[in-house]
Amino acid sequence: MNISLHKNRHVIVFSILMLISGVWMLINGARSQKTFIDEYWSYSLANSDDSAYIYPKYKDSWVSAETLKNYLTVQKDERFVYRWRDTSHPPLYYFILHTVCSLFPDTYSKWYGLSINFVFFIGTCILLYLLSATLFNSYKKAMFASSVWMFSMGALNTFLYIRMYMALTFFVVCALYYTIKYFIEQKNKYLIGLYVSFIFGGLTEYTFWIVGFLITGLFFVLTIKNRRKWLTFGGVALASVVTASIVFSPTLLQFIDKSTENPVIAGSFQTVSMLFNPQEVFKRFMLECKERFFPFILSNKVIFFILLVSLLILIYNVYKVLRNLFTEWWNNERTKNKTKFSGFIKERFVLWVKDIGNDPHKSAFIMLFLVYGIAVYFIEAVHLWPLDWRSTRFVFMLYPMQSILIALIIMGVYKQIKKLSRILQCIVISLIALNFVMFNNGKKPLAPAYNWFVYETALKNEQFKRIVSDAYVFYVRKNWYDNNYVFDSMGWYYDKMKEVYPMQREENPPGYDYQRVIAGEIEQIQNGEKIVIMNTADDGALLNKDAAFVSLLNRRGFDIVTVETGIDIGYYPFNVYGIVPYPNTPELKQKRIQQETDITRYLSWIHDERYSVLIAVSDECSVSMNEEIMAQLRELGLTENLIGKVQLPYIAVIDRGEVVYEALGGDPRESLTWTGELRDGSGYEILSAGYHAGNTCAITIEDADYAVKWRGLNIVVYDNERGAVLDSVAFDTWANELTAYRKRNGEWTELLIAPSSSL
């Protein structure tokens, strides 16, 4: 049947479906939050006249918002100036993106990249429809197969990801379409499209050549008896490689030279070498199935159910074929020709293969299936193996082929159901619907597990934008991926921040103290400015667990407020801390001390030479004592470790920042006492008794006992400038809640730890 797309009502229906899917793509494009680092690099590699990445050049220095903007945008004097510095990918996509951005100088919009994706998306839809119509020889089936892809999560991910993968998908489908058209119709006009698609596909992404190699190899196998046919096709494919190499020649040697440094290029070379090592390929295939394929299938119940139904139908059909063959052999061949059943099966298999070879549509389906299956394996299990990357972006280009095969399976299942009686049809359909409802629990839509680029972090991104708005941002990283991988994500927020200061903790000279550097830089910023410190979540809670840094900032007039943890920036979770400057007046600090209920914060506040601190343990203090509290005690100059020292007495005196006395008892049945005099002449006496030695404490200054006398650490803070007690508090370090107690009008008042405030 000759498919005609002109003046056909099915073209109208397909156009409507394509329009609906296009609107769906644009709606999701408007809703998406573009924060993935590779997308930022798309713009910087296409438009920046400086180095491709920000971090190496600006490490340990302030980076202005204008600098970040220049990495994303095209300046007026740089319009249509094409550069290529990224050996990980060929230049074609960057040239296209730069062309679009050059039309809008000094501005940035995600729509510059999405508009390119949208054009290639529409082109892919049309080509996929034409390819499906050629394979199925039916426009109805073609509409169904193309719709499977157009309304899939895979297509949406491909569209939303501002990289070269949507363009790559277009050129892969284009190459498949012209290959299969030439394979079926043998018209030389299709070789022109094949030649062009091979060139542009190869100049878009290196992994295209994996698919191109498979298409060429399988074409050769399926047309091995037609020498003229495969020689012509092979000549065109080779000519496209030569042409692309000539176009690519200024950077081809650089590409080869960087193969030992760039993991993506190394993976490409290893993929080619693996084609000639079947033993290693099989080994990796089995390991890939064990570690990824089978766990994924078993964890996704919907896909598992579909595959199970398909497998049962396949087994049933194989059984029917074998039964019919056995019946035919038993009735005819066994008695007439005295042929064994195995020989009979072999003869029929040869006839079946010849039948497929004589039917170009069936052969084309075989080619499509093999290209898809082998390409998925080589990209996932071989090409990405040395990188240890597990991202669906590298197989986006294969999703249209997958949609055709899924459509074929669904149509096969439907065909089998139609053969059943009406009652059985209702039962089967009801069971399928019931399983879908049960597997989804009525809460989540049916969708693939992979949805990397359908960003669902809009709320957190908006919160982060509010946090860093008009702020000086310190970006602290323990170690770096490829020296810059995560920091460049900050470029998305160039229009929000004032400046950003990238720091790396582990690759600096000996003696480098990032905390002192931050504190020193903060002091250079005018009082009242907004300051934010952030670090990636895998580095741990960098600031609020670091007692020395907390104390350092507090002493210099800044307070740390934990804003949010786990905010996704560049697909990596971050902890974000607001640094709030405050007037460092004695009055305000006294008020903070008198109201503080968090023991670690309290210990950081009283670290001041204006105060004398007297500590005594009553009853027990060790059960909930932790390293965070001990770190703050060590910041005060104390050395005894109270963790695990059950019911032992303890006394400490710190006068104007200097430890005068510290003692930890060795017997829980004995108490400790200490008498002394502060520098202003005020006399004091301290008693500490554990549970078995009296279960009490006393902190007496000038004959007045100021101790709260509650279980745990009893602390009295004496203001040397005023010559009076500033505060008295007891922190119950036996209880998990670490409750704070103060005396109000002679009565104990329980003060639970207040939650952290936010910017």
Side-chain angles (χ1 to χ4, degrees), residues 463-464 466-468 530-533 560-567 574-580 756-759:
Q463 183 183 19
F464 180 74
R466 177 175 57 82
I467 293 168
V468 301
K530 190 174 178 182
I531 303 166
V532 170
I533 300 181
I560 295 180
V561 181
T562 302
V563 179
E564 183 64 74
T565 59
I567 291 182
F574 283 74
N575 298 327
V576 182
Y577 307 86
I579 308 301
V580 181
S756 299
S757 57
S758 60
L759 287 179

Side-chain angles (χ1 to χ4, degrees), residues 24 88 247 465 553 712:
W24 181 53
S88 299
V247 175
K465 289 177 183 177
L553 290 181

Side-chain angles (χ1 to χ4, degrees), residues 259-273:
S259 62
T260 57
E261 302 175 13
N262 192 309
V264 177
I265 301 173
S268 300
F269 280 111
Q270 184 166 353
T271 301
V272 176
S273 64

Side-chain angles (χ1 to χ4, degrees), residues 46 276 343 366 514 750:
F276 305 97
I366 296 296
Y514 77 95
E750 179 179 334

Side-chain angles (χ1 to χ4, degrees), residues 32-315:
S32 69
Q33 298 293 310
K34 289 298 165 188
T35 59
F36 195 66
I37 177 58
D38 288 35
E39 296 170 301
Y40 178 86
W41 284 339
S42 290
Y43 284 89
S44 67
L45 289 164
N47 301 328
S48 174
D49 65 338
D50 207 334
S51 59
Y53 309 110
I54 300 175
Y55 175 74
K57 186 173 181 179
Y58 296 100
K59 175 185 172 184
D60 295 325
S61 63
W62 286 106
V63 184
S64 67
E66 187 67 20
T67 300
L68 295 173
K69 176 185 175 183
N70 290 341
Y71 272 84
L72 280 171
T73 62
V74 175
Q75 285 70 60
K76 291 182 179 179
D77 58 343
E78 297 173 356
R79 300 173 67 192
F80 306 108
V81 178
Y82 298 95
R83 310 176 184 87
W84 182 79
R85 297 181 304 274
D86 179 24
T87 55
S88 299
H89 304 281
L92 180 61
Y93 174 77
Y94 298 122
F95 289 172
I96 297 173
L97 181 58
H98 178 75
T99 301
V100 175
C101 293
S102 293
L103 300 175
F104 309 95
D106 294 320
T107 61
Y108 159 76
S109 172
K110 65 182 177 182
W111 290 106
Y112 301 159
L114 288 177
S115 64
I116 297 172
N117 284 359
F118 188 76
V119 171
F120 282 113
F121 170 76
I122 296 299
T124 305
C125 292
I126 296 171
L127 280 172
L128 181 59
Y129 178 77
L130 294 172
L131 174 61
S132 303
T134 303
L135 287 167
F136 290 107
N137 206 19
S138 166
Y139 40 78
K140 290 182 180 179
K141 293 178 180 179
M143 274 194 296
F144 177 67
S146 54
S147 296
V148 171
W149 180 77
M150 289 191 299
F151 294 97
S152 69
M153 190 66 70
L156 181 59
N157 275 306
T158 311
F159 167 75
L160 290 178
Y161 191 32
I162 304 180
R163 291 290 278 168
M164 65 288 299
Y165 298 104
M166 188 72 253
L168 176 64
T169 302
F170 171 81
F171 290 121
V172 167
V173 176
C174 190
L176 280 168
Y177 170 70
Y178 285 113
T179 298
I180 290 175
K181 289 294 284 186
Y182 178 72
F183 179 78
I184 293 175
E185 301 180 17
Q186 299 186 35
K187 294 181 180 179
N188 290 334
K189 65 179 182 179
Y190 297 119
L191 294 175
I192 300 174
L194 177 72
Y195 174 74
V196 173
S197 60
F198 265 50
I199 292 174
F200 285 115
L203 290 176
T204 301
E205 225 285 330
Y206 299 133
T207 51
F208 176 88
W209 294 114
I210 298 176
V211 177
F213 179 86
L214 291 172
I215 290 174
T216 306
L218 290 170
F219 190 94
F220 169 77
V221 171
L222 294 173
T223 61
I224 192 168
K225 291 184 178 181
N226 191 334
R227 184 177 180 182
R228 179 177 174 274
K229 193 174 181 179
W230 64 257
L231 277 177
T232 304
F233 185 91
V236 172
L238 182 61
S240 67
V241 174
V242 173
T243 305
S245 300
I246 293 173
V247 175
F248 203 42
S249 59
T251 49
L252 184 60
L253 293 177
Q254 181 184 0
F255 167 75
I256 297 173
D257 182 59
K258 294 289 185 180
S259 62
T260 57
E261 302 175 13
N262 192 309
V264 177
I265 301 173
S268 300
F269 280 111
Q270 184 166 353
T271 301
V272 176
S273 64
M274 276 296 175
L275 294 173
F276 305 97
N277 190 351
Q279 185 177 358
E280 182 66 20
V281 167
F282 180 76
K283 177 182 176 182
R284 290 189 177 183
F285 173 75
M286 296 305 296
L287 189 60
E288 187 79 359
C289 289
K290 178 182 177 182
E291 293 185 354
R292 297 194 61 224
F293 181 72
F294 292 129
F296 169 71
I297 294 298
L298 294 175
S299 65
N300 193 313
K301 296 179 180 178
V302 174
I303 294 179
F304 175 76
F305 176 74
I306 293 173
L307 290 177
L308 180 62
V309 171
S310 302
L311 181 62
L312 291 175
I313 291 173
L314 177 63
I315 293 172

Side-chain angles (χ1 to χ4, degrees), residues 324-336:
N324 293 336
L325 287 173
F326 182 80
T327 302
E328 183 181 351
W329 170 78
W330 183 267
N331 294 332
N332 299 311
E333 300 293 332
R334 179 178 65 89
T335 57
K336 291 180 180 179

Side-chain angles (χ1 to χ4, degrees), residues 306-570:
I306 293 173
L307 290 177
L308 180 62
V309 171
S310 302
L311 181 62
L312 291 175
I313 291 173
L314 177 63
I315 293 172
Y316 175 70
N317 278 278
V318 170
Y319 161 74
K320 281 178 56 179
V321 170
L322 290 176
R323 186 188 65 181
N324 293 336
L325 287 173
F326 182 80
T327 302
E328 183 181 351
W329 170 78
W330 183 267
N331 294 332
N332 299 311
E333 300 293 332
R334 179 178 65 89
T335 57
K336 291 180 180 179
N337 301 322
K338 301 187 182 299
T339 306
K340 291 184 178 180
F341 184 64
S342 58
F344 177 72
I345 291 292
K346 186 184 296 184
E347 291 176 3
R348 288 308 175 98
F349 178 75
V350 171
L351 291 174
W352 178 73
V353 171
K354 288 181 178 180
D355 178 62
I356 291 178
N358 294 328
D359 187 334
H361 288 87
K362 292 180 180 178
S363 298
F365 264 115
I366 296 296
M367 180 190 296
L368 183 77
F369 176 78
L370 291 175
V371 168
Y372 171 75
I374 299 173
V376 166
Y377 170 68
F378 269 97
I379 291 173
E380 285 287 316
V382 180
H383 176 62
L384 301 180
W385 195 279
L387 312 179
D388 194 27
W389 289 350
R390 292 295 182 263
S391 170
T392 54
R393 77 184 97 164
F394 300 104
V395 291
F396 280 171
M397 61 178 174
L398 305 178
Y399 282 173
M401 282 186 273
Q402 178 178 293
S403 69
I404 294 176
L405 297 174
I406 289 174
L408 185 64
I409 292 173
I410 293 174
M411 286 186 284
V413 172
Y414 174 71
K415 186 177 180 180
Q416 295 296 322
I417 293 175
K418 281 185 67 178
K419 293 179 180 179
L420 302 174
S421 64
R422 290 294 176 88
I423 296 176
L424 287 176
Q425 286 180 10
C426 292
I427 293 174
V428 171
I429 293 172
S430 299
L431 287 173
I432 293 173
L434 179 63
N435 273 278
F436 280 147
V437 171
M438 290 175 61
F439 286 150
N440 286 274
N441 201 22
K443 296 178 181 180
K444 296 181 179 180
L446 301 178
Y450 296 120
N451 57 349
W452 266 35
F453 308 108
V454 182
Y455 297 102
E456 299 173 352
T457 55
L459 183 61
K460 285 191 173 183
N461 277 298
E462 288 303 319
Q463 183 183 19
F464 180 74
K465 289 177 183 177
R466 177 175 57 82
I467 293 168
V468 301
S469 179
D470 295 322
Y472 290 89
V473 180
F474 289 89
Y475 180 96
V476 184
R477 185 84 172 104
K478 182 179 179 182
N479 47 53
W480 295 82
Y481 302 113
D482 296 333
N483 296 324
N484 51 29
Y485 195 83
V486 187
F487 168 69
D488 285 8
S489 302
M490 294 296 294
W492 289 117
Y493 306 95
Y494 74 88
D495 58 335
K496 303 297 179 185
M497 303 176 294
K498 286 188 175 180
E499 292 189 64
V500 59
Y501 195 102
M503 311 178 73
Q504 183 170 348
R505 294 166 58 191
E506 290 190 348
E507 287 191 5
N508 283 289
Y512 176 85
D513 188 342
Y514 77 95
Q515 298 174 339
R516 300 281 173 182
V517 172
I518 291 178
E521 292 292 336
I522 287 177
E523 288 187 318
Q524 303 296 320
I525 300 172
Q526 292 183 358
N527 191 30
E529 293 285 3
K530 190 174 178 182
I531 303 166
V532 170
I533 300 181
M534 57 182 291
N535 76 299
T536 46
D538 59 349
D539 286 340
L542 174 67
L543 303 180
N544 62 346
K545 298 293 184 182
D546 198 322
F549 190 48
V550 173
S551 296
L552 178 65
L553 290 181
N554 285 339
R555 292 197 302 273
R556 298 191 179 188
F558 292 90
D559 189 14
I560 295 180
V561 181
T562 302
V563 179
E564 183 64 74
T565 59
I567 291 182
D568 289 335
I569 305 168

